[in-house]
Amino acid sequence: MERSEPQRPGGIAPTAVFGTVGAIVLVDAFTKFLAVDRLVPVHMPHQVFGEWLRLTLVYNRGAAFGFHLGPYSRWLFIGLTAVALVVLWNLYRTSAATARLRVVALASIAGGAIGNVIDRVRWNRGVVDFLDLGVGEWRWPTFNVADIAVSVGAITLAAVLWREDAAAARAASQGAIAPSADGAPTAS
């Protein structure tokens, strides 16, 4: 009797997925360590590429773009991150074996989310941000490697999910997939 290999989400070995998450967390932690160690004092810009790219140490107690929910922001964002990680895990588990880009996007979002939640758990100063882009007074909110991973992963995931929905709608309109009595798709 031959044993069949279980389907891997995205066709990617779980060790590679968790390795991607871990690599993002490690790079984020290392760059934040360097920022805290070398970019002092806080809020003092260090020019890298003129005014376009500066390194400026900032502690962000809010969420993206400094969104703040008062004195309980830290705990609310920790809780929201835990919920988001559960949702990401469920999306990962239900990913088709052919959904490679979807799985990579999920790993990127998870790695970034974990990187930022580590800062929230370890101290009440906030998340370490240090990448400062803009021209003169026109600046993008300061961010970090974890923010890049979350943003790129989220944009990629949105595109992948949109493409999956569009393909399912095309297939349904061509009669390739019809809903069963319980609403689940079945081949016609």
Side-chain angles (χ1 to χ4, degrees), residues 35-66:
V36 169
D37 186 55
R38 308 236 170 108
L39 298 177
V40 289
V42 175
H43 300 288
M44 172 66 74
H46 302 267
Q47 291 191 0
V48 175
F49 188 66
E51 287 268 324
W52 293 88
L53 172 62
R54 306 184 308 197
L55 300 178
T56 306
L57 178 61
V58 175
Y59 294 97
N60 180 1
R61 291 185 179 181
F65 313 121

Side-chain angles (χ1 to χ4, degrees), residues 21 24 84-85 88 91 102-115 146 149-158:
V21 171
I24 291 168
L85 289 170
L88 293 170
L91 284 170
R102 179 182 187 175
V103 169
V104 171
L106 292 168
S108 179
I109 297 167
I114 292 168
V150 169
S151 298
V152 170
I155 291 167
T156 303
L157 182 61

